Amino acid sequence: MSRLRRSPDDFSSLETAIDTIERDGAAPATVEPLSDLSISEARYLRGRWSALPVSLRQQIVALMATLGDEDVRFNFERALHVALSDSEPEVRLAGVVALWEAESTSLLDALLDIVDDESSERVRIAIVEALGRFARLAMEGRISEDQQQRVNQKLVDIALNETDEDVWLAALAAAAYLRSPALESRIFQTYDEGHDEAREIALRAMGRYGGSQWASRVIDSIRAGDTDQRTEAARAAPYVDDRRVVPYLYEAAEDDEEADLQLAAVAALGEIGGPEVRSFLEELRDSTTGDVSLAAETALANAQLLDGVGDASPI
């Protein structure tokens, strides 16, 4: 949304919007002016924010999330930063979730500043998962070395030293993108000694970390784990540098009683490639219908691209 540029001290439009929200409730037309706030406007909003009823603050955050998702012209990041410091955990959680696609340095700084002091387990897990997004950006070389170091240090510290299991498990999966050697023994221990959900998260971490050290455990889980573990192991399989996973992925890709597992295995095969895998995917594409056939076609295109052969354009 385009807005007329105002002087830094002119809050009349924002004031009118907040007054209207306070009087009539939140609606798209009254929340839209919270997009593209200047630093001064965000400070003004912060000064008005806590006086609004909790339910209204939740409605505002929900509308900002919806509008921002539906229309790229809207940027509510500065307004949502205000929600991150709300007194109510449900509002803070909604703010973190609404910022899911944001990748700014200011958001990274804010998340690093608040993660240790957050009192709500649910909000802290959401913050850790958001930091995991920055860890993935670091793996892709899309943030600075200094930012990468700060994210890695924080997530590894939480993964190794946090006492709340759900929080450190989230940090373990998030930090795995950065492949810190300090995490390897923790991942092994979590898989070998943890409960079912912890084992799933360890498998997720193995896939993100990558490397042949995880191969035997990933293979064991594809072959004999419960459905959720087999699915996580299938997703990790392309990254463990061991083609022994392939026959077990074939079996999972033909398991039409477990849709998530089947689709995960098909996608994994597309990330592995090779002549035999391409032949399997062609046959699967031609012998199935619906989501599985489409997934096989997409995976085949990925395998062709990986192998440098054929037509790599999916339907």
Side-chain angles (χ1 to χ4, degrees), residues 47-166:
R48 299 279 310 264
W49 185 257
S50 60
L52 300 173
V54 173
S55 60
L56 188 54
R57 301 200 302 265
Q58 290 177 304
Q59 291 173 19
I60 295 169
V61 173
L63 273 172
M64 286 193 287
T66 299
L67 289 168
D69 185 58
E70 292 177 348
D71 193 330
V72 296
R73 294 176 301 166
F74 295 118
N75 181 352
F76 293 104
E77 184 170 339
R78 280 184 172 151
L80 288 167
H81 275 227
V82 175
L84 296 183
S85 59
D86 198 280
S87 60
E88 293 296 322
E90 292 302 320
V91 180
R92 298 196 300 273
L93 178 61
V96 175
V97 172
L99 285 162
W100 185 247
E101 294 186 358
E103 299 177 354
S104 68
T105 296
S106 61
L107 175 59
L108 174 58
D109 290 341
L111 295 173
L112 290 170
D113 285 344
I114 65 178
V115 63
D116 288 336
D117 295 329
E118 176 54 56
S119 59
S120 164
E121 179 190 82
R122 291 178 62 205
V123 180
R124 196 155 187 237
I125 290 171
I127 295 170
V128 165
E129 290 174 344
L131 287 171
R133 184 171 70 256
F134 285 96
R136 177 176 51 79
L137 293 174
M139 179 190 70
E140 297 169 352
R142 295 171 57 192
I143 63 175
S144 70
E145 290 186 9
D146 175 67
Q147 291 171 326
Q148 175 179 329
Q149 183 176 16
R150 292 169 64 210
V151 172
N152 185 58
Q153 182 177 1
K154 179 59 63 180
L155 288 175
V156 170
D157 177 65
I158 296 172
L160 297 181
N161 300 311
E162 172 64 41
T163 57
D164 185 302
E165 182 183 50
D166 289 336

